[in-house]
Amino acid sequence: MTAAAVLPASIRDRYEMVVGLEVHVQLKTRTKAFCNCSAQFGGTPNTNTCPVCLGLPGALPVLNAQAVELAVRAAHSFCCKVNEVSIFARKNYFYPDLPKGYQITQYDRPLAEHGRLVIGERPDSSPVTIRITRVHLEEDAGKSLHDRYPGSTAIDLNRAGVPLIEIVSEPDLRSSRDAGAYLRVLKQTLEFLSVSDVNMEEGSLRVDANISARLKGETRLGVKSEVKNMNSFSGVERALEAEFVRQCGLLDAGEPVLQQTMLWDATREEVRPARSKEASHDYRYFPEPDLPPLILSQDWLCEIKAELPELPKDKRARFVKEYGLGATDLDVLTSSLPLADYFEAVAREYGDAKTAANWVMGEVLGSLRTTNTSIARFRVRPPDLTGLLKLVRDGKISHSAAKRVFASMLQTGDRPEQIAEREGLIQVSDSDSLGAWVDAAIAENPKEWERYRGGEKKLQGVFVGMIMKKSSGRADPKRINQILSERAGG
C-alpha cells in the first residue's frame, strides 16, 4: 500500500504542493564539453577518456563551440535573457565518478536567466506560465555501476565531461500533474530544436525535483527536499506524490521536515533518505581558473535567435489554422518533430488533412508500435502513403483493399500502384462485371432479395458484403449500391 493511500484526504487537502525542477540535458554534440573525446552513448566503459576529462595534472580544458550554440538555442526558446558575458566555475565535491574532484559549471554568472515555459496550451485548457530561473552550461560526471560486480561498484568515465545544460525552474509548479506537463513540453521543445536527443533511458535527460509542502493560503516556502533517481516522467509524478504525502504527514504530526536528498524507489513506490541536502557554500564555488569568461556578441545572439526552427506551440497553432485539427489530433501529431513533418508532408500533397491524420494516427502509428520502429526509419514514406490515399479517393481501390496494400508496402517497400495491380486489387466499376456479381448474389439468396425488395433496406448492406466477397474486394461499393437500388426498383 502506498503512502498516498494511507494519509487521509482530510489531512492532505489542507496542504499545497510547491515544486521546482532542475533538468539536466545532454547536448547533441559529437565531442565532450572541454576535450575531443567522443560524447557518444554506449561505448566500451572507460574508452572515451583523455587527460582533460580525467583531470590529469597539466591538462587544460577548451570549450566546445557547438555546445555553446546549442545552449543558446535552448535559452532563446525559453525566452531567457542570454548574457553576453558568463563565467565558468568549479563546483567542488568528492565522489568516485568525478575524477577531477570538481565539476566545471556556471554559478553566479550563468549563460542565461529569467525565462519561461508555458504549459497547458490547448484549445480546451487554460495555459500556465512556469518561470525559468536560469539555463547554464556544465559538464557531466561519470557513472557509477552497481550491477556489474556483486557487492562492488564499478565506475565508467565515458560520460565524464559530456556537455550539459541545466534548466532550473522557479517553484511555480503546484501539482505532480503540472510537473509532468512541464517536463513533456520541455522535452518536446528541446527535440524540435535538435538540441538533444532527450533520451531518458540513456541519461540524456535527467530530472531532480525540489518539493515542499505548506498550508493552503500560506505564502512562505516550506523546507524542501530534493528527490532523485527518477527515470521517467510518470516516475517523477509518482515520486512527487509520495514525497508530498510524507511531508504532509510530518507537518500534521507537528514534526519538522528536514532538508535532505531523497531517492525514489519505483519498485516500492516510496521515497527514502539518501543524505542531508547540501547548500551552495558546501561546494566551495570559485571561478574556473583555466577558462576565460565566455563572451558572446549581440549580433551572434540575434543570428542564433533568428535561425530558430518552428517551436511546438507555434506548430500547433499553425496546424489548427491550416488543417483544422482538434486538441486530441494536435497532441498526437505534434508529439515529435519527425511525426509532425511526416503528417504535414502527406496532408499537403493529398489535400485532405483529416484523412491524412486518421491514417497517420491509425495505420502508421500502429505499425510503428508493433515493429518498434522510429518514424525516421519507417518504410512507408509520405509520398507512398499519399499515393495510396489517392488510389482510394480516385475509386481505384476500396478502403479495405488499401489496408491490404499498406500491409504489403510495409513488407516490400513497393509503390502502392504496383502492389494493387500485382495483387488484383484494382477496383472494378464496369457495369457488366458488377452486374454479374449482383446477379449471382441474388440467385443464391432469393428469399433475402424478396425481403429487400419488400422494403427491408438493411439487407442492402448484406448484399454489398456478399458481392464484395465474391469480387475479392475489387467491386466498387458505390456502383454496387446503385445497381442494387435500380434492380429493386428504388
Side-chain angles (χ1 to χ4, degrees):
M1 183 178 293
T2 65
V6 173
L7 190 70
S10 59
I11 296 175
R12 176 193 174 98
D13 291 346
R14 292 206 299 268
Y15 293 93
E16 177 181 53
M17 180 188 297
V18 179
V19 175
L21 297 176
E22 300 172 5
V23 182
H24 296 82
V25 179
Q26 180 178 329
L27 298 173
K28 193 186 289 187
T29 60
R30 185 180 59 83
T31 57
K32 294 185 179 181
F34 302 110
C35 66
N36 284 326
C37 289
S38 172
Q40 185 176 2
F41 175 82
T44 302
N46 299 306
T47 55
N48 297 333
T49 58
C50 73
V52 174
C53 52
L54 293 177
L56 299 184
L60 295 175
V62 177
L63 181 59
N64 185 329
Q66 187 188 11
V68 176
E69 179 176 338
L70 295 177
V72 169
R73 284 162 65 93
H76 276 318
S77 74
F78 302 132
C79 304
C80 291
K81 175 186 179 297
V82 181
N83 296 317
E84 292 183 43
V85 180
S86 57
I87 303 294
F88 285 98
R90 287 190 181 182
K91 179 181 181 181
N92 296 275
Y93 64 97
F94 297 94
Y95 204 70
D97 58 17
L98 192 69
K100 295 196 291 281
Y102 62 85
Q103 176 191 31
I104 299 178
T105 183
Q106 292 181 318
Y107 178 48
D108 54 345
R109 299 184 67 181
L111 177 75
E113 303 170 279
H114 313 308
R116 64 182 181 275
L117 185 68
V118 180
I119 62 175
E121 282 191 306
R122 293 173 42 134
D124 58 351
S125 64
S126 299
V128 177
T129 298
I130 308 301
R131 293 171 296 163
I132 290 177
T133 312
R134 56 191 278 143
V135 176
H136 67 256
L137 276 160
E138 62 185 23
E139 64 177 343
D140 207 348
K143 186 177 182 180
S144 297
L145 305 172
H146 305 291
D147 57 355
R148 294 296 178 91
Y149 306 102
S152 300
T153 295
I155 302 297
D156 180 7
L157 295 177
N158 281 349
R159 201 171 69 183
V162 164
L164 306 175
I165 51 173
E166 183 173 348
I167 305 166
V168 183
S169 82
E170 290 288 322
D172 290 344
L173 294 157
R174 295 292 177 268
S175 70
S176 60
R177 181 179 179 181
D178 280 354
Y182 170 90
L183 291 170
R184 290 178 178 91
V185 174
L186 185 85
K187 177 180 183 290
Q188 187 183 49
T189 301
L190 295 169
E191 183 185 26
F192 272 54
L193 290 168
S194 295
V195 163
S196 171
D197 61 19
V198 289
N199 188 325
M200 292 192 78
E201 289 74 19
E202 295 181 0
S204 55
L205 189 151
R206 306 194 295 275
V207 181
D208 296 335
N210 293 300
I211 174 174
S212 62
R214 66 185 179 189
L215 287 170
K216 289 182 177 178
E218 178 66 72
T219 57
R220 186 173 57 182
L221 294 174
V223 177
K224 69 180 179 181
S225 58
E226 183 179 31
V227 185
K228 293 178 175 287
N229 196 39
M230 301 168 291
N231 59 10
S232 69
F233 293 159
S234 62
V236 172
E237 294 177 19
R238 298 198 308 276
L240 287 173
E241 285 294 322
E243 176 59 10
F244 178 61
V245 165
R246 186 187 74 86
Q247 291 190 20
C248 290
L250 289 172
L251 294 172
D252 191 71
E255 299 177 19
V257 175
L258 301 179
Q259 184 168 315
Q260 57 187 337
T261 297
M262 311 294 292
L263 295 180
W264 167 241
D265 187 329
T267 303
R268 298 184 177 183
E269 293 278 316
E270 64 183 21
V271 290
R272 62 174 186 271
R275 61 180 183 273
S276 60
K277 176 76 176 121
E278 300 89 346
S280 59
H281 63 264
D282 293 321
Y283 294 116
R284 296 182 294 111
Y285 284 100
F286 62 85
E288 168 57 64
D290 293 332
L291 286 169
L294 176 57
I295 301 174
L296 307 174
S297 74
Q298 192 60 42
D299 287 345
W300 184 77
L301 292 176
C302 291
E303 181 182 325
I304 296 299
K305 188 173 185 179
E307 293 174 352
L308 288 180
E310 186 177 43
L311 296 177
K313 62 183 180 64
D314 301 318
K315 189 176 289 290
R316 284 195 294 271
R318 183 170 61 79
F319 276 16
V320 170
K321 182 178 180 180
E322 292 186 12
Y323 303 119
L325 298 181
T328 301
D329 292 356
L330 279 176
D331 285 347
V332 175
L333 295 173
T334 62
S335 59
S336 73
L337 181 58
L339 183 63
D341 289 343
Y342 187 102
F343 157 74
E344 187 159 28
V346 177
R348 281 183 171 172
E349 178 65 23
Y350 181 58
D352 180 347
K354 185 58 181 175
T355 299
N358 289 341
W359 273 82
V360 172
M361 292 190 297
E363 277 70 20
V364 172
L365 284 180
S367 300
L368 292 175
R369 285 190 290 268
T370 301
T371 59
N372 195 27
T373 305
S374 69
I375 192 72
R377 297 173 178 267
F378 193 52
R379 199 163 197 174
V380 180
R381 304 314 303 153
D384 297 324
L385 180 58
T386 302
L388 177 63
L389 299 185
K390 286 181 177 179
L391 290 178
V392 177
R393 182 190 63 193
D394 297 342
K396 293 183 178 179
I397 63 174
S398 66
H399 186 75
S400 59
K403 294 192 175 184
R404 291 174 57 185
V405 173
F406 182 82
S408 184
M409 291 165 71
L410 288 174
Q411 295 295 321
T412 65
D414 291 343
R415 293 184 59 78
E417 299 88 346
Q418 294 175 308
I419 296 170
E421 289 280 1
R422 184 173 66 233
E423 298 189 8
L425 297 174
I426 298 298
Q427 204 156 252
V428 175
S429 56
D430 69 276
S431 298
D432 291 343
S433 299
L434 294 178
W437 285 321
V438 170
D439 290 340
I442 293 173
E444 293 172 9
N445 302 275
K447 293 182 179 179
E448 286 78 5
W449 177 249
E450 289 304 319
R451 286 163 54 199
Y452 170 62
R453 291 186 65 192
E456 203 170 327
K457 296 303 180 184
K458 66 181 181 181
L459 288 173
Q460 182 163 330
V462 175
F463 275 99
V464 171
M466 294 175 187
I467 295 163
M468 292 300 295
K469 185 175 181 181
K470 285 181 174 296
S471 67
S472 300
R474 293 184 297 133
D476 182 344
K478 290 182 180 179
R479 287 287 297 126
I480 292 174
N481 278 289
Q482 292 173 355
I483 293 173
L484 288 171
S485 295
E486 292 167 358
R487 295 283 181 88

